[in-house]
């Protein structure tokens, strides 16, 4: 089995390598290709990756290359984890929206739109080259914003599934609180990428007992603290919102907070510098503890599980993924991309049925889906007016004056990545 990772020079990659090594019975990789144009980073990451495989007794071969076409040739699956513009672009995404009194964040709001505009054309070019090299290969997208990028891939006819680590993070956290194995925890997870709620936590599978009320009663304070929201909000909702709902439920407080401290991008850039120095140590043969602070917890387990199921192996029968709605949420068009539990196999992902959603959640999902329609149109066709309309439609912007100012800033900060600008 051959897998290729595009963006293989990422500091995330040792987390992925560790999962591939530990879970080799689930996903028996014979060749893993790390593809990245940044040769120096790729050498450091590739060296550590080989040492991790060797230490854990994995016999698979790890190849590094900057040649995308050669790297994906013959791959059974291609995992995308790229960041167009690097941490410098992320730093901008997190700062210039604050100048207009809006949340600065790399996957939602104005910053998220900027990332989508930079990313979608690049990902579609990569996907076309994958299709030419191997039309049967699956594309697993971990590149943010996952929902918009996955929708672009699916609409272009690619065999693609989107993946995020939010759900597996909740699964692991709830399993620890319940003192059960993660495999016993099934989430009623619903929404869009980075706009989701856990409306149930079931033991044993989709039909199992819902223990969410007990979780909230016994551990509500700890759960709310993890999300950095008030316990009273979680209690009144009766569900667990993802961390990203904080940008919607406490927008003004978050803007004040973000404006009073260094950006997350600056923190990550400093962390990445330190990690790359560590990766260059020939004695290091395991992922360092510092990587746990980088983000992407349990990403490797989710990726292994999904790839194994898509390639006909031993992955879990139900997984939270990003895929076409196809009638699952009846208030959305079929070609919207949603993030829900799905039955996953060699034929792809089929969403499980979702009970009728409360308007409190359905309304926000519909609103952000409309924004994502406009965002994808802007990413595919460009133009200032399309960018403006997408910003005006976003619930974290929504005012003419803000949308006008943000449009100018977005284009000014991203001109080198926007062919039409």
């Amino acid at each position: 089995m051959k897998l290729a990772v595009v963006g293989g020079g990422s500091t995330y990659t040792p987390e992925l390598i560790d999962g591939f090594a530990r879970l080799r019975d689930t996903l028996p990789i014979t060749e893993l290709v790390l593809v990245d144009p940044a040769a120096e980073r790729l050498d450091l990451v590739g060296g550590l990756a080989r040492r991790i495989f060797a230490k854990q007794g994995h016999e698979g071969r790890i190849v590094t290359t900057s040649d995308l076409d050669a790297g994906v040739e013959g791959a059974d699956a291609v995992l995308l984890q790229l960041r167009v513009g690097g941490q410098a672009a992320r730093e901008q995404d997190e700062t210039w929206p604050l100048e207009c009194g809006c949340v600065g964040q790399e996957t939602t709001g104005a910053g998220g739109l900027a990332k989508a505009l930079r990313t979608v054309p690049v990902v579609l070019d990569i996907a076309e080259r994958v299709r030419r090299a191997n039309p049967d290969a699956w594309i697993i997208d971990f590149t943010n914003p996952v929902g918009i990028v996955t929708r672009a891939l699916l609409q272009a006819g690619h065999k693609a599934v989107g993946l995020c680590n939010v759900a597996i993070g909740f699964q692991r956290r709830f399993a620890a609180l319940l003192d059960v194995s993660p495999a016993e925890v099934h989430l009623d997870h619903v929404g869009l990428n980075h706009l989701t709620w856990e409306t149930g936590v079931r033991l044993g599978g989709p039909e199992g007992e819902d223990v969410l009320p007990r979780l909230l009663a016994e551990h509500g304070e700890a759960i709310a603290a993890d999300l950095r929201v008030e316990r009273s909000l979680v209690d009144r909702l009766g569900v667990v919102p993802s961390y990203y709902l904080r940008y919607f439920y406490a927008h003004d407080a978050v803007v004040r907070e973000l404006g009073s401290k260094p950006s997350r991008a600056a923190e990550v850039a400093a962390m990445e510098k330190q990690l790359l120095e560590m990766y260059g140590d020939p004695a290091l043969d395991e992922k360092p503890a510092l990587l746990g602070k980088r983000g992407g917890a349990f990403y490797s387990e989710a990726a292994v599980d999904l790839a194994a199921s898509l390639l006909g192996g031993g992955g879990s029968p139900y997984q939270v993924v990003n895929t076409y709605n196809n009638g699952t949420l009846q208030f959305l068009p079929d070609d919207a991309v949603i993030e829900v539990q799905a039955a996953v196999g060699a034929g792809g992902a089929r969403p499980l049925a979702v009970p009728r959603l409360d308007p409190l959640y359905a309304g926000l999902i519909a609103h952000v889906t409309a924004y994502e329609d406009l965002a994808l149109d802007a990413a595919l066709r460009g133009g200032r007016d399309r960018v403006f309309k997408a910003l005006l439609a976003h619930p974290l912007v929504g005012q003419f004056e803000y949308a006008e100012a943000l449009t100018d800033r977005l284009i000014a900060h991203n001109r080198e990545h926007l062919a039409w600008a």
Side-chain angles (χ1 to χ4, degrees):
M1 180 184 298
K2 176 178 177 178
L3 263 66
V5 179
V6 179
S10 168
T11 53
Y12 270 134
T13 300
E15 163 69 26
L16 192 63
I17 299 299
D18 178 73
F20 287 159
R22 288 186 293 101
L23 303 172
R24 55 187 175 273
D25 291 340
T26 302
L27 190 68
I29 298 170
T30 55
E31 183 176 357
L32 177 65
V33 183
L34 305 180
V35 183
D36 203 294
E40 185 175 350
R41 289 173 62 109
L42 189 59
D43 286 345
L44 294 174
V45 173
L48 175 57
R50 294 186 186 96
R51 294 193 297 273
I52 291 173
F53 263 31
K55 180 180 182 179
Q56 299 198 28
H58 196 300
E59 297 180 355
R61 184 167 74 110
I62 294 178
V63 177
T64 58
T65 181
S66 58
D67 186 335
L68 174 66
D69 296 312
V72 302
E73 180 72 38
D76 297 288
V78 177
L79 198 152
L80 306 181
Q81 57 169 32
L82 56 145
R83 182 186 295 280
V84 179
Q87 292 297 331
R90 177 180 179 173
E91 168 78 17
Q92 294 177 356
D93 293 344
E94 293 180 351
T95 52
W96 55 261
L98 296 174
E99 297 170 5
C100 299
C102 295
V103 161
Q105 212 279 330
E106 64 160 342
T107 63
T108 191
L113 176 60
K115 187 173 178 65
L117 297 181
R118 294 192 304 269
T119 304
V120 166
V122 175
V123 166
L124 289 179
D125 176 67
I126 292 170
E128 285 298 329
R129 293 163 72 175
V130 170
R131 180 153 53 189
R132 287 198 299 268
N134 183 6
D136 293 326
W138 278 102
I139 295 176
I140 297 173
D141 179 60
F142 194 70
T143 296
N144 281 317
V146 168
I148 294 173
V149 172
T150 301
R151 187 169 179 179
L153 288 165
L154 291 173
Q155 287 186 352
H158 298 290
K159 292 177 61 176
V161 180
L163 180 65
C164 180
N165 70 321
V166 166
I168 195 171
F170 275 128
Q171 182 197 45
R172 297 301 199 266
R173 175 66 166 142
F174 294 158
L177 292 173
L178 293 165
D179 196 24
V180 299
S181 73
E184 294 180 68
V185 176
H186 178 95
L187 302 177
D188 290 344
H189 177 103
V190 62
L192 310 176
N193 180 241
H194 290 184
L195 191 88
T196 52
W197 297 262
E198 311 307 323
T199 61
V201 178
R202 301 183 182 278
L203 295 182
E207 305 302 323
E209 176 193 3
D210 182 9
V211 296
L212 179 57
R214 172 157 64 93
L215 264 175
L216 293 180
E218 297 178 2
H219 304 286
E221 198 68 42
I223 291 170
D226 285 347
L227 301 173
R228 299 181 64 195
V229 299
E230 296 292 331
R231 164 77 185 269
S232 59
L233 171 64
V234 176
D235 287 341
R236 292 174 73 177
L237 292 177
V239 304
V240 179
S242 81
Y243 171 84
Y244 292 89
L245 266 298
R246 183 169 179 260
Y247 299 118
F248 295 82
Y249 293 158
H251 175 274
D252 292 354
V254 171
V255 168
R256 290 192 296 270
E257 172 192 310
L258 294 175
S260 66
K261 64 179 184 179
S263 68
R264 172 63 176 165
E267 294 176 0
V268 170
M271 199 179 303
E272 285 199 334
K273 182 179 180 182
Q274 188 175 353
L275 284 169
L276 289 170
E277 291 174 356
M278 291 179 173
Y279 296 171
D281 180 356
L284 184 67
D285 57 6
E286 60 186 12
K287 65 177 183 179
L290 179 62
L291 186 56
K293 299 180 181 180
R294 170 69 179 80
F298 309 115
Y299 159 41
S300 60
E301 283 92 339
V304 167
D305 209 14
L306 179 54
S309 292
L310 293 174
L311 299 177
S316 304
Y318 306 114
Q319 298 171 43
V320 173
V321 298
N322 285 258
T323 191
Y324 270 151
N325 177 46
N326 282 338
T328 306
L329 301 181
Q330 295 182 358
F331 56 90
L332 295 184
D334 286 349
D335 66 349
V337 164
I338 59 175
E339 186 172 290
V340 292
Q341 285 279 4
V344 183
R350 178 180 55 80
L352 303 185
V354 174
R356 182 179 180 274
L357 280 182
D358 187 296
L360 180 62
Y361 315 121
L364 186 53
I365 291 171
H367 193 162
V368 175
T369 297
Y371 150 76
E372 291 190 347
D373 289 344
L374 296 166
L376 182 54
D377 186 44
L380 294 173
R381 297 201 289 162
R384 186 187 189 281
D385 193 49
R386 293 188 181 93
V387 174
F388 167 78
K389 288 179 179 178
L391 287 167
L392 188 62
H394 201 295
L396 295 182
V397 180
Q399 296 184 54
F400 173 81
E401 182 181 354
Y402 289 174
E404 278 280 89
L406 289 167
T407 298
D408 291 336
R409 284 168 170 78
L410 186 155
I411 294 172
H413 285 285
N414 290 275
R415 199 176 299 277
E416 66 180 294
H417 300 291
L418 306 176
W420 52 268

